[in-house]
Amino acid sequence: LGSATLPPSRFCTLPHFHPRMHTAHNNDVNGPFYFNGYYHIFMQQSFPWVKGWNGAIGWGHMVSPDLAHWREISSFTGYIDAFVPGRWHDPQYGVPAGGYYSGSVTIVNGVPHAVFPAYFIDGPCVDPWLPGHEKNRCRMVYMFATPTNLSDPFLANWTQPRSFVWPEQGVQPHDVTFEDPSAAWQDPSTPGRWVFIGQTNDQKGVLLEGWASKNGSDWSAGFESLGNFFPSTGDSRCSI
């Protein structure tokens, strides 16, 4: 379960079953799902395997047949790290992702779709509520990826993430922030359409914005905004 890297004095603070990566900073469990006999969980993971928060965040990946015995899927255990900052250059912006943040997984037509926000940084980048944000040259987009081999029970390899929601879309102005997309669900009023909600920033507070697929289950065609579900909270961050 990964606890061997902790000193004995820390064992008593862990739940009986406590899956964790072998080292480094972990937080925010993402995208739990069950597929072909295995449970999957992802989590925020600092790379390259550093102890503290360094901003170069990606996704760690673990699998289990029974929720009691867990296997780490990473370069440390002989696999490939699924979502690592800087591994790919986005075809639209031509710069590598600075981080893959908290997201979700939805099974669409039998295929798991991992959805997450990603930073692309080619200049100054500060939080949109801080002084200097007007000079930002960073972009945050929603991206998704799918497994490359569905017959692999561990789903170790995933496609290069593809953008499907861009900064100029939806409730304006987004500035930097797209965050924490929910799992998607099928819209009962429009057969074939998929919908999710995510967090965005309007410089006054946080919005919960709805998004709907433009072309049914073909997520590569992009999503369109359904607008703000709730008024701004006035807080700098909130959770879905």
Side-chain angles (χ1 to χ4, degrees):
L1 301 183
S3 299
T5 59
L6 293 179
S9 61
R10 292 289 304 279
F11 290 161
C12 64
T13 66
L14 299 178
H16 188 64
F17 293 104
H18 188 83
R20 62 186 299 274
M21 303 297 277
H22 71 281
T23 189
H25 173 91
N26 302 160
N27 70 285
D28 288 11
V29 175
N30 295 299
F33 69 101
Y34 181 80
F35 190 79
N36 287 351
Y38 279 86
Y39 298 93
H40 296 254
I41 60 171
F42 298 89
M43 74 287 294
Q44 295 281 265
Q45 170 72 58
S46 285
F47 291 98
W49 304 111
V50 295
K51 183 179 296 186
W53 176 265
N54 68 349
I57 203 74
W59 278 23
H61 183 195
M62 301 188 77
V63 302
S64 170
D66 56 11
L67 296 178
H69 302 87
W70 290 89
R71 179 191 298 264
E72 177 179 329
I73 307 300
S74 74
S75 57
F76 181 77
T77 55
Y79 300 94
I80 294 175
D81 299 315
F83 305 117
V84 180
R87 180 177 176 188
W88 292 292
H89 280 62
D90 181 72
Q92 181 179 9
Y93 297 121
V95 292
Y100 299 111
Y101 291 82
S102 292
S104 62
V105 175
T106 301
I107 298 177
V108 180
N109 292 348
V111 179
H113 285 52
V115 175
F116 38 78
Y119 268 122
F120 291 91
I121 302 172
D122 55 4
C125 189
V126 301
D127 287 328
W129 51 86
L130 295 178
H133 68 82
E134 66 279 356
K135 297 181 180 180
N136 276 346
R137 291 187 58 200
C138 54
R139 308 165 180 90
M140 202 168 199
V141 301
Y142 280 135
M143 309 188 83
F144 79 94
T146 57
T148 60
N149 181 8
L150 293 178
S151 64
D152 171 16
F154 300 152
L155 302 180
N157 297 322
W158 292 69
T159 60
Q160 175 172 344
R162 288 174 283 176
S163 305
F164 69 104
V165 172
W166 295 271
E168 64 271 14
Q169 297 173 302
V171 178
Q172 293 295 319
H174 285 297
D175 204 348
V176 177
T177 306
F178 281 133
E179 294 189 89
D180 301 351
S182 72
W185 65 91
Q186 289 190 281
D187 183 353
S189 65
T190 307
R193 186 167 78 160
W194 290 84
V195 176
F196 74 93
I197 57 176
Q199 180 176 306
T200 189
N201 175 72
D202 72 348
Q203 297 185 9
K204 297 178 182 178
V206 172
L207 309 174
L208 295 182
E209 188 169 1
W211 298 91
S213 59
K214 294 179 180 179
N215 190 22
S217 59
D218 179 11
W219 287 19
S220 63
F223 276 52
E224 59 188 352
S225 175
L226 298 177
N228 179 25
F229 282 12
F230 300 99
S232 298
T233 65
D235 296 329
S236 61
R237 295 178 63 86
C238 70
S239 298
I240 294 173

